Amino acid sequence: MKVLIVGGGGREHALAWKCAQEARVSRVFVAPGNAGTALEPKVENVDIAAEDIEALLGFAHQTGIALTIVGPEGPLVAGIVDRFNAAGLRCFGPNRAAAQLEGSKAHAKDFLKRHRIPTASYATFTRANFDPQYLRAQRLPLVIKADGLAAGKGVIICETHDQAIAASRGMLEGDFGAAGETIVVEEFLAGEEVSFIVIAHERQVLPLATSQDHKRRDDGDRGPNTGGMGAYSPAPLVTASTHARIMADVIEPTLSGLAADGIAYTGFLYAGLMIGADGTPNVLEFNCRFGDPETQPIMMRLRSDLTTLCEAALDGRLDRCEAAWDARAALGVVMAAGGYPESYRKGEPISGLEAAARLPGKVFHAGTQLTGGNVVTSGGRVLCAVGLGVDVRSAQRQAYDLVAAIHWNLVQYRRDIGWRAIAREA
Ligand code: AMP
């Protein structure tokens, strides 16, 4: 069976690597992929952008692709699944209507409120009805969010009312393009964040291993927000009772709410949750796809075949499925270009990848490219080095041994990925 993975980041390298290990999978194509997927056995890059749905469809037809798995949200929100299905091709992910859960934060908040799923209180505004007095009446800090997709950058946490009003005006006046035409003004929630990712098919659900990521750039969870600087699985914060509460209070009402709204959701569903001091899970956001970098440690732990789970969901057999997991913990450290998440250089040659490949663990590529046989940087987040271990502490050690073997000019990474989990283990 031939599989197509859409996307070119670390998440897609991990998905492709995982699918390529299956005996029944003859070849994995990645569009557009990166240097990591180009070098992976049984995997081949295809020079088609993730957003070019017509070209992807043509390739899938010509090549006899049996299953397409979509990595990023862009093509999902643009309707890639609807297009593939209409052409009789199997494509794993939510359709365009279902992907609105991520495509519009205002839509997601209204959905959460309507179905009484715990989330921060909020109001939405456009330029036409923006009300600074509403903001002044709210408690601080205040969270201002652009409604649409903003590559993980459309959230500003404001410590003063003036700052919140300025951030709102900036978004409404086009700082984030069309994504900011509507904004969500939200109550700030204290607590610890976890990523809760499931495979869903209508009312059927298969929860995947729990994980936590680090969104801030600098050690101690300080500095600017990023796409994610590291992640680990499992998340010790999610005890058995918290897990049961998340399933009962968030995941099940979400799936029944979607069904009640007439939306058939199939695909990965990622709930970004803030777990309060008393264990209450509040939904911060939904993503209609797998997380990056959570995918990398989670795929390292998944023992079951991924394509089997995706096909079970597509066939409505998810309720008869179980996923098997490596009992060990996995931890991934993102190696980023100096200057990320602002401006950074591309084209820096990366050294030490061969030495790292001889060590235990796995280095997944994200922003890399093959140039004349050499691997060079081509993005902000460049690599994710993943270690395994009996606990998060030893997985961290293995991951940083990989990191120590690799170098390029102006590389940056955090030195404390997993610190909360390790403190809990101690
Ligand atoms: P989002 O894209 O909505 O997940 O927001 C990005 C990040 O902003 C989250 O991962 C949180 O760290 C933070 N955040 C978003 N909403 C809130 C909130 N209501 N309270 C506290 N932090 C938040």
Side-chain angles (χ1 to χ4, degrees), residues 282-302:
N282 270 288
V283 177
L284 288 179
E285 61 162 347
F286 285 118
N287 293 320
C288 61
R289 34 86 193 167
F290 226 115
D292 189 340
E294 292 93 332
T295 310
Q296 292 87 317
I298 291 177
M299 286 302 122
M300 285 285 276
R301 294 188 60 222
L302 181 61

Side-chain angles (χ1 to χ4, degrees), residues 235-253:
L237 175 68
V238 185
T239 58
S241 69
T242 302
H243 194 282
R245 199 158 163 194
I246 293 169
M247 288 300 290
D249 295 354
V250 175
I251 301 299
E252 278 152 18

Side-chain angles (χ1 to χ4, degrees), residues 203-395:
R203 309 282 293 252
Q204 301 174 3
V205 59
L206 180 73
L208 299 176
T210 60
S211 60
Q212 266 181 300
D213 77 338
H214 293 267
K215 289 219 165 54
R216 303 292 203 97
R217 187 190 59 197
D218 303 329
D219 284 5
D221 294 315
R222 292 168 212 281
N225 248 331
T226 69
M229 294 300 286
Y232 49 94
S233 171
L237 175 68
V238 185
T239 58
S241 69
T242 302
H243 194 282
R245 199 158 163 194
I246 293 169
M247 288 300 290
D249 295 354
V250 175
I251 301 299
E252 278 152 18
T254 297
L255 298 180
S256 50
L258 285 163
D261 291 355
I263 306 261
Y265 194 107
T266 301
F268 298 116
L269 176 65
Y270 169 138
L273 303 173
M274 187 68 87
I275 308 293
D278 63 350
T280 304
N282 270 288
V283 177
L284 288 179
E285 61 162 347
F286 285 118
N287 293 320
C288 61
R289 34 86 193 167
F290 226 115
D292 189 340
E294 292 93 332
T295 310
Q296 292 87 317
I298 291 177
M299 286 302 122
M300 285 285 276
R301 294 188 60 222
L302 181 61
R303 286 273 156 268
S304 312
D305 287 345
L306 181 64
T307 63
T308 303
L309 300 180
C310 293
E311 289 197 318
L314 289 169
D315 295 337
R317 292 182 282 105
L318 204 53
D319 50 347
R320 277 163 273 162
C321 264
E322 262 184 71
W325 299 99
D326 191 320
R328 290 175 295 174
L331 181 141
V333 177
V334 169
M335 301 180 73
Y340 174 78
E342 285 98 36
S343 62
Y344 49 82
R345 277 177 32 189
K346 296 182 182 177
E348 296 286 353
I350 303 172
S351 64
L353 288 167
E354 300 76 14
R358 288 191 290 273
L359 297 173
K362 172 78 186 168
V363 177
F364 293 107
H365 290 226
T368 65
Q369 183 182 309
L370 270 181
T371 307
N374 296 316
V375 180
V376 303
T377 68
S378 68
R381 292 188 297 164
V382 176
L383 302 171
C384 180
V386 185
L388 282 165
V390 289
D391 51 17
V392 177
R393 168 113 209 111
S394 42

